[in-house]
Amino acid sequence: MKRTVFTGGQVFDGTSTSLADVVVEGRRIVDVGVGLDGDDAVDCAGMSIVPGLFDCHVHVLIRDLDVARSEQEPYSLPYYEAVRNLSLLLDQGITSARDAAGADAGVRRAIEKGLIEGPRLQLALVMLSQTGGHSDLHLPSGGSRSMAMMMPNPGRPRAVRDGVDDVRRGVREILRAGADAIKVATTGGVMSVGDDPRHAHFRDDELEVIAAEAAAAGSYFFAHAQGAEGIKAALRHGARSIEHGYHLDDEAIDLMLSTGAWLVPTLSATQAIVDAGDRGVPIAPESLALAREALDAHRASFARAVDAGVKVAMGTDSPPYGHPSASNLDELQLMVRASSMTPADAWRATTASAAALLRQHDLGAIAPGALADLVVLDGRLADLGGLRERIRHVVIDGRRVR
């Protein structure tokens, strides 16, 4: 079997950095050290080599934040846009991602069969929500929004559930449809008009059954949670990760530490909404006001969580793919600017920590025996600027795909 050696790069192994060579044979890394040889050599002098990158919160069926436009387009169009969005993730070295609602099992299967290109993809399918919650498409007029990524279909069960029995059935239907994890909205959200991100959603008996059904299937649940009470409710019932976390208080941070839950901050998401509004994208005034109000609180909560030692995994909530300057990798710079995180901490959140969150134990590291997902980029890792343009090689399963 052919051995490919990536020579002379600064290797970040998921924990620390050193000058080394990396040898790939078949699907796996077989050696890391100095002076190694192989059948083919890739000169990485002046470059950095990192494990394949993770984004733990994407929505590959979404192009941008223009809901009014998307509601006027054919139902199937987002699936074709997902083909481009998945390719854009690979362009940025993101070799593993968790789609946090929208994509169904067919999207994942198309990647696995080689029909389309994309990262290793885990799925939530839908976001469970109570009536009047973040997934409820009801409008004051009596009609409903027609967002393709939220509408039930044969591969995407109904998201809005109320009461213990309905919630239990919902979890089982979602797992039956091929979900890797269960996503639950334990608060309202910014982009769903009519609910408030500070209000807690679902009661304890509903969350208890969600957690129990996910665990019985060997899965877990993670929570869209922005307000403090909804965050704490999710954590008390065993949420594996908190997504967003706008309003973390001391009790919430203590719960994250005691339960070992991850924070997926998605700093990009709040910033993207504000930026889109400034560019004239037709975002509901209520949503734009909530995003502007949340911006500083979001960053402050994240900084406090980092200082306390909460585990962090990188996730973006998909910055608008339709905007040419958007990059998921901007999240690394945002995390460092908003907190005491170092660039090395940000890389760890995007590799080893994210792999642990998603239970991908063969990924997130450069070490003998690990699956050969690698990214080679120009320059030093301490410089987080222009990462998208600095990508030179992307390897998945030992195959160079970029």
Side-chain angles (χ1 to χ4, degrees):
M1 193 175 296
K2 186 170 71 172
R3 291 163 54 96
T4 300
V5 57
F6 295 81
T7 64
Q10 288 288 333
V11 175
F12 178 75
D13 62 10
T15 304
S16 60
T17 304
S18 61
L19 186 66
D21 305 330
V22 180
V23 180
V24 172
E25 185 174 335
R27 301 177 58 221
R28 295 194 178 269
I29 297 166
V30 295
D31 205 354
V32 180
V34 178
L36 304 178
D37 58 13
D39 303 302
D40 291 333
V42 180
D43 184 2
C44 299
M47 300 180 186
S48 297
I49 308 172
V50 298
L53 305 179
F54 283 71
D55 190 328
C56 297
H57 194 129
V58 300
H59 297 284
V60 299
L61 266 65
I62 295 179
R63 183 174 90 199
D64 55 33
L65 295 170
D66 190 341
V67 175
R69 174 201 53 74
S70 67
E71 289 183 335
Q72 300 303 313
E73 292 182 336
Y75 174 83
S76 59
L77 183 61
Y79 285 90
Y80 293 94
E81 292 184 329
V83 175
R84 178 204 52 202
N85 295 341
L86 290 161
S87 180
L88 289 173
L89 290 175
L90 283 185
D91 288 347
Q92 300 173 75
I94 294 169
T95 59
S96 297
R98 180 176 63 180
D99 189 275
D104 61 24
V107 177
R108 181 181 60 205
R109 188 73 179 117
I111 296 170
E112 292 170 351
K113 288 174 67 70
L115 299 176
I116 60 176
E117 60 175 9
R120 304 171 188 272
L121 195 62
Q122 293 190 8
L123 303 175
L125 303 185
V126 301
M127 174 174 56
L128 284 176
S129 164
Q130 69 177 45
T131 293
H134 194 34
S135 293
D136 193 340
L137 302 179
H138 180 80
L139 293 172
S141 65
S144 64
R145 293 163 65 190
S146 55
M147 293 178 64
M149 67 161 279
M150 304 283 276
M151 295 166 61
N153 68 23
R156 188 192 303 130
R158 172 171 54 92
V160 178
R161 306 279 175 161
D162 295 288
V164 167
D165 290 341
D166 197 23
V167 163
R168 186 192 310 276
R169 183 175 183 86
V171 174
R172 291 176 177 178
E173 288 178 352
I174 292 166
L175 291 168
R176 179 182 68 184
D180 297 290
I182 301 298
K183 184 183 180 186
V184 183
T186 60
T187 71
V190 167
M191 288 295 286
S192 47
V193 176
D195 55 270
D196 192 312
R198 291 160 295 200
H199 293 168
H201 289 178
F202 285 125
R203 302 287 70 82
D204 283 343
D205 56 351
E206 295 167 312
L207 292 173
E208 182 178 356
V209 77
I210 289 170
E213 291 298 327
S219 184
Y220 65 90
F221 84 94
F222 64 110
H224 159 100
Q226 297 176 351
E229 295 309 312
I231 292 169
K232 290 182 284 192
L235 291 167
R236 284 193 295 269
H237 291 281
R240 189 166 175 83
S241 67
I242 297 296
E243 316 292 302
H244 316 306
Y246 288 0
H247 301 288
L248 292 164
D249 61 16
D250 289 342
E251 183 182 4
I253 290 172
D254 287 344
L255 277 169
M256 296 197 78
L257 293 171
S258 64
T259 63
W262 278 261
L263 176 62
V264 182
T266 69
L267 298 172
S268 299
T270 326
Q271 189 65 58
I273 296 168
V274 172
D275 290 346
D278 291 342
R279 294 197 308 271
V281 174
I283 294 172
E286 177 183 336
S287 293
L288 192 55
L290 284 170
R292 292 190 193 282
E293 177 187 339
L295 200 58
D296 288 340
H298 191 186
R299 292 171 178 171
S301 286
F302 174 64
R304 291 175 59 237
V306 169
D307 286 346
V310 169
K311 295 185 294 188
V312 175
M314 195 278 261
T316 61
D317 211 0
S318 299
Y321 295 109
H323 193 258
S325 66
S327 172
N328 298 58
L329 301 184
D330 291 344
E331 181 75 13
L332 279 72
Q333 202 164 52
L334 289 173
M335 288 191 291
V336 168
R337 288 175 176 173
S339 73
S340 60
M341 286 183 86
T342 66
D345 294 331
W347 287 110
R348 192 172 300 112
T350 313
T351 55
S353 186
L357 166 59
L358 300 191
R359 298 175 169 175
Q360 296 295 294
H361 304 301
D362 279 351
L363 297 170
I366 296 179
L371 285 170
D373 285 15
L374 301 171
V375 179
V376 180
L377 63 156
D378 283 333
R380 301 298 185 183
L381 298 181
D383 177 11
L384 297 176
L387 292 176
R388 181 173 180 169
E389 292 73 27
R390 290 163 53 192
I391 303 292
R392 291 295 169 261
H393 302 280
V394 180
V395 177
I396 298 182
D397 243 7
R399 297 178 295 107
R400 269 187 279 175
V401 296
R402 288 289 184 277

